[in-house]
């Protein structure tokens, strides 16, 4: 049985199998009627070989549904978010598979104002219409317009810092042959024009649909060495690597060490609170010690939200939060339509280094020592429900605090774990953290992993 390409808050599948041009055309037509209500829709696509063809099918469907299409061409997901809001469009569609395997593709959907479209906010109705095969055509055919929103986008992300106040830094950027290269070049040119004394070295910079250096997923440990080595070889102050649609960015210090997202959330929260003192920060349940304490130290208010972009954005809007962060490198900003960006975090980290006079490793060293973490451990289990129940039975009664916001979070005197099923993949994910005791993290991670594998077999 084929897996449905309709997920909780996006569409993704194997091209030519679960994801076809016919389906994308139907989705475009249904989106025009259900979400955009025949208003204009922004469309962009990433660097994958199938993306232009699938985007063309989406555009055709939008036209049949009566929506004018504002075409960005190849771009990043956050550029679709920005253009949807900036151009006053009724919605936006981004054809992307981000960091998924070769042969996959998908669609990210937003309504007016770049609000996410999920199963309960329009995607369910779109799926039902596509399955029914009975969509009414609009009274007029939508027109197509090529638009260039990139200059305005670059101006918006640069508004988060003062470029001229940056220190003379050398930065390695790795676009992974994804969509980031052209957008980054526009950003770098604007930084230079604004007087930023920053120099950039580029790696795997040109978009290439064959991905000769592998699918860009910098979160995977096996993908770290290429960026890390280049940082050291050229003597860069930091390294930055993006995934395929560059809505996530990942950092390496001057020694080539990968900086875990747990510590970056706290650092970016403090940067946001410097801009907006006393404001609210949204964090997610997978690892919390470092972020909660960083927000408290900076005089902010920390509120837990549920993992996943649609859930985080809803929490951001509900709390009018200045910033929200996930340890998987999704970073959300109120002044960017409450959306995630892979470019703004890079600018803010450069600004933090410049302001403090400290290196990236110095900025996070104390928190790495104070809050050791396991990193996310993934388990593909035959019986995930039995595994989750076994862990709950073993640990829940001894916990000092329990939270079920997203999966099972249990806290003890000096350590904590979160165990949850993935929203997007058939995996169970485990995160363990402690206060100042790395050996505790290792021991508890091993114990829970053994229980999961035994009970879930």
């Amino acid at each position: 049985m084929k897996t449905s390409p309709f997920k909780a808050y996006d569409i993704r599948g194997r091209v030519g199998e679960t994801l076809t041009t016919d389906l994308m055309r139907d989705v475009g037509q249904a989106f025009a009627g259900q979400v955009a209500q025949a208003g204009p829709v922004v469309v962009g696509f990433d660097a994958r070989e199938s993306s232009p063809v699938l985007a063309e099918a989406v555009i055709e469907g939008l036209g049949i549904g009566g929506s004018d299409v504002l075409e960005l061409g190849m771009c990043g997901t956050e550029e679709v978010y920005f253009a949807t809001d900036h151009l006053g469009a009724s919605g936006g569609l981004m054809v992307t598979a981000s960091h998924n395997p070769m042969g996959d593709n998908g669609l990210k959907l937003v309504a007016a104002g770049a609000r996410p479209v999920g199963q309960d906010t329009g995607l369910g109705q779109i799926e039902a219409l596509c399955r029914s095969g009975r969509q009414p055509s609009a009274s007029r055919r939508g027109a197509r317009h090529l638009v260039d929103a990139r200059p305005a986008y670059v101006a918006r992300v640069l508004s988060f810092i003062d470029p001229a106040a940056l220190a003379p830094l050398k930065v390695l950027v790795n676009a992974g042959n994804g969509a980031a290269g052209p957008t980054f070049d526009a950003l770098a040119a604007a930084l230079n024009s604004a007087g930023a004394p920053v120099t950039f070295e580029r790696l795997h910079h040109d978009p290439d649909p064959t991905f000769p250096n592998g699918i860009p997923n910098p979160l995977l440990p096996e993908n770290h060495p290429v960026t890390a080595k280049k940082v050291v070889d050229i003597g860069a102050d930091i390294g930055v690597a993006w995934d395929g649609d560059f809505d996530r960015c990942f950092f390496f210090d001057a020694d080539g060490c990968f900086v875990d997202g747990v510590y970056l959330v706290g650092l970016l929260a403090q940067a946001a609170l410097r801009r907006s003192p006393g404001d609210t920060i949204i964090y997610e349940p997978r690892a919390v010690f470092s972020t909660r304490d960083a927000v408290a130290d900076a005089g902010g208010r920390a509120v837990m939200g549920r993992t996943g972009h649609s859930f985080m954005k809803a929490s951001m809007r509900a709390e009018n939060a200045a910033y929200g962060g996930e340890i998987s490198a999704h970073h959300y900003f109120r002044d960017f339509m409450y959306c995630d960006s892979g470019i703004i975090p890079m600018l803010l980290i450069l600004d933090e280094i410049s302001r403090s006079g400290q290196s990236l490793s110095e900025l996070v060293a104390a928190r790495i020592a104070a809050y050791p973490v396991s990193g996310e451990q993934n388990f593909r289990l035959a019986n995930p429900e039995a595994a989750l129940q076994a862990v709950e039975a073993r640990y829940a009664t001894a916990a000092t605090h329990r939270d079920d916001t997203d999966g099972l979070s249990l806290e003890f005197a000096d350590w904590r774990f979160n165990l949850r099923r993935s929203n997007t993949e058939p995996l169970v994910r485990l995160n363990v953290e402690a206060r100042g005791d790395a050996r505790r993290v290792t021991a508890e991670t091993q114990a829970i992993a053994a229980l999961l594998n035994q009970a879930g077999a």
Side-chain angles (χ1 to χ4, degrees):
M1 183 175 68
K2 291 183 178 179
T3 303
S4 171
F6 290 89
K7 309 303 180 183
Y9 39 72
D10 62 12
I11 296 169
R12 66 178 73 184
R14 298 290 293 175
V15 176
E17 298 176 14
T18 57
L19 198 74
T20 64
T21 53
D22 287 343
L23 174 64
M24 296 292 263
R25 187 180 302 109
D26 289 344
V27 169
Q29 184 178 352
F31 186 90
Q34 292 297 305
V35 177
Q37 297 183 338
V41 177
V42 171
V43 176
F45 56 84
D46 69 11
R48 291 184 181 242
E49 185 175 18
S50 60
S51 292
V53 175
L54 295 173
E56 189 64 29
V58 168
I59 290 168
E60 183 180 351
L62 288 166
I64 295 170
S67 284
D68 292 341
V69 179
L70 309 176
E71 299 181 56
L72 300 184
M74 190 180 72
C75 64
T77 294
E78 66 194 73
E79 290 184 271
V80 169
Y81 295 160
F82 171 78
T84 300
D85 182 66
H86 178 69
L87 299 173
S90 299
L93 297 170
M94 176 68 182
V95 179
T96 181
S98 185
H99 59 277
N100 275 34
M102 293 286 284
D104 282 11
N105 218 319
L107 198 62
K108 295 180 179 179
L109 312 87
V110 293
R115 292 175 179 267
V117 174
Q119 280 290 334
D120 58 349
T121 53
L123 188 55
Q125 294 92 324
I126 291 171
E127 180 179 6
L129 276 172
C130 291
R131 294 190 186 284
S132 74
R134 297 189 299 273
Q135 295 196 57
S137 296
S139 58
R140 62 175 287 274
R141 182 78 175 228
R144 302 174 60 162
H145 309 278
L146 293 173
V147 296
D148 182 10
R150 187 162 290 162
Y153 159 79
V154 167
R156 172 67 67 84
V157 297
L158 281 182
S159 71
F160 281 76
I161 64 165
D162 176 3
L166 294 178
L169 297 170
K170 187 175 186 178
V171 182
L172 173 76
V173 293
N174 182 355
N177 301 117
T183 306
F184 175 81
D185 288 342
L187 175 74
L191 278 168
N192 181 260
S193 296
V198 180
T199 59
F200 296 101
E201 295 283 342
R202 294 160 169 83
L203 177 66
H204 303 162
H205 195 68
D206 295 330
D208 187 332
T210 68
F211 294 114
N213 300 291
I215 294 295
N217 186 1
L219 184 59
L220 299 178
E222 59 266 32
N223 291 339
H224 294 174
V226 63
T227 305
K229 182 178 185 301
K230 191 69 173 180
V231 167
V232 174
D233 287 349
I234 68 171
D237 293 292
I238 68 166
V240 182
W242 290 284
D243 63 1
D245 61 338
F246 67 91
D247 60 353
R248 296 187 301 157
C249 66
F250 303 83
F251 292 87
F252 297 77
D253 68 19
D255 296 319
C257 297
F258 181 80
V259 181
D260 195 291
V262 170
Y263 310 109
L264 289 165
V265 171
L267 189 57
L268 290 167
Q270 291 183 321
L273 290 167
R274 184 177 294 110
R275 288 166 51 92
S276 187
D279 219 320
T280 299
I281 303 296
I282 304 295
Y283 66 101
E284 46 106 344
R286 284 179 285 184
V288 306
F289 288 161
S290 176
T291 301
R292 289 195 311 214
D293 288 359
V295 172
D297 291 346
R301 171 176 173 260
V303 174
M304 183 183 287
R306 185 178 171 189
T307 307
H309 83 95
S310 65
F311 305 121
M312 288 292 288
K313 290 169 184 174
S315 296
M316 290 277 292
R317 289 180 183 275
E319 298 288 345
N320 193 30
Y323 163 74
E326 294 182 282
I327 64 174
S328 57
H330 285 286
H331 302 285
Y332 308 85
F333 302 91
R334 178 174 59 206
D335 294 338
F336 193 68
M337 304 83 59
Y338 301 96
C339 288
D340 38 339
S341 167
I343 296 294
I344 295 169
M346 178 192 71
L347 296 171
L348 291 175
I349 295 298
L350 293 179
D351 189 58
E352 287 298 295
I353 293 170
S354 301
R355 284 175 177 271
S356 67
Q358 294 181 294
S359 67
L360 178 56
S361 62
E362 290 170 334
L363 285 170
V364 298
R367 294 199 177 275
I368 290 175
Y371 310 102
V373 296
S374 64
E376 190 154 85
Q377 311 290 308
N378 294 312
F379 300 85
R380 195 176 296 270
L381 305 170
N383 193 342
E385 195 57 41
L388 293 170
Q389 290 173 359
V391 172
E392 181 177 7
R394 172 77 61 85
Y395 289 94
T397 55
T400 58
H401 180 73
R402 172 175 180 154
D403 186 273
D404 297 299
T405 299
D406 193 0
L408 175 67
S409 294
L410 295 178
E411 189 167 331
F412 306 86
D414 59 354
W415 72 285
R416 178 187 179 278
F417 75 85
N418 172 263
L419 187 64
R420 57 185 284 273
R421 299 183 73 161
S422 169
N423 293 318
T424 57
E425 298 177 82
L427 298 171
V428 172
R429 305 190 191 277
L430 170 68
N431 285 273
V432 180
E433 59 183 327
R435 293 188 180 275
D437 189 348
R439 287 181 296 179
R440 165 75 83 174
V441 171
T442 300
E444 299 296 352
T445 301
Q446 291 174 347
I448 297 172
L451 183 57
L452 285 169
N453 286 321
Q454 179 183 22

